[in-house]
Amino acid sequence: MTDQIQAVAAPETELEDIDVDAPLVGIVMGSKSDMPAMEAAEKELEERGIRSEVRVMSAHREPDVVSEYARNAQMRGLRVIIAGAGLSAALPGVLAAHTQLPVIGVPLTSRTSVAGGLDALLAIAQMPPGVPVACVGIDNARNAAVLAARILTSAP
Ligand code: RP5
């Protein structure tokens, strides 16, 4: 009898462990200086009722943090990652190297860009075959959020 009660109770315990408020979209950027441009993604997702989280981590300055975030993302319930970076914008590509989740890159016009963000756009878009990163327009974090919403609503 005790065993039967435990067998019935186990699934309830598992359900309690699932965080129903877990974010679906991770919004990541290479520097705090990217925040003003990337806030548009958070705002767009919020208006659509899509839960997101915002993190600052640099592919060049904190490669281990980026790798760990990407490796754990799917397990934590994330479904899409939006990654904004300027200059030699490695962040979206490095994230994509460590996760199977779709990654949407946002090239940013960093203060010290010598090419008005074109450097970041090429760094994000020109990924090697087999490791895709979607790329929206320069500073167009809002479009990244719209694309993330479309991915979320089209997946089964
Ligand atoms: C990139 O370098 C960041 O994404 C940012 O756009 C740019 C400059 O970073 P900070 O020097 O402002 O931290 O990695």
Side-chain angles (χ1 to χ4, degrees), residues 29-34 58 60-61 84-87 108 110-112:
M29 64 204 80
S31 168
K32 277 184 185 168
S33 65
D34 299 328
S58 166
H60 294 118
R61 294 165 175 158
L87 304 178
L108 299 174
S110 178
R111 185 173 34 89
T112 53

